[in-house]
Amino acid sequence: MTGDSGHRRTIPAAEFKDRCLELADEVNETGQEILITKHGEPFARLVPARNSAPPMFGRYRDSIRITGDILSPAVPAEEWDAIRDPDRVAGCEGDEAR
């Protein structure tokens, strides 16, 4: 095995084939990926399965605070173009409703 840019390990595909389960366990424990090569060229990467990004739901739970009414419209319904002129087609200025 050789180093690649000092951080990523590289391993030939034939050696990976012989040691794949051992290397998979190692990557899972350390979190360090291994670059697999064929004829000295990058072929595949073995990376840990755990997700490094936090989940989307609840991501900002401790940093955002809701202080107002988020359900009511910001503009009264009487001011909505769709209610004032229901025959108007949105985005078609000057065109008649179809």
Side-chain angles (χ1 to χ4, degrees), residues 3-45:
D4 180 47
S5 71
H7 289 77
R8 185 187 309 161
R9 292 176 47 198
T10 62
I11 186 169
E15 186 177 344
F16 172 75
K17 181 180 172 185
D18 293 338
R19 301 179 53 209
C20 66
L21 294 177
E22 172 191 343
L23 293 170
D25 287 340
E26 181 182 321
V27 166
N28 188 48
E29 290 172 15
T30 66
Q32 183 182 30
E33 75 176 50
I34 297 176
L35 181 66
I36 303 163
T37 61
K38 271 190 176 180
H39 308 292
E41 295 295 318
F43 170 71
R45 292 184 308 146

Side-chain angles (χ1 to χ4, degrees), residues 4 6 16-17 34 51 53 58 64 66 78-79 97:
D4 180 47
F16 172 75
K17 181 180 172 185
I34 297 176
N51 189 357
I64 295 177
I66 298 172
E78 300 79 40
E79 295 181 25

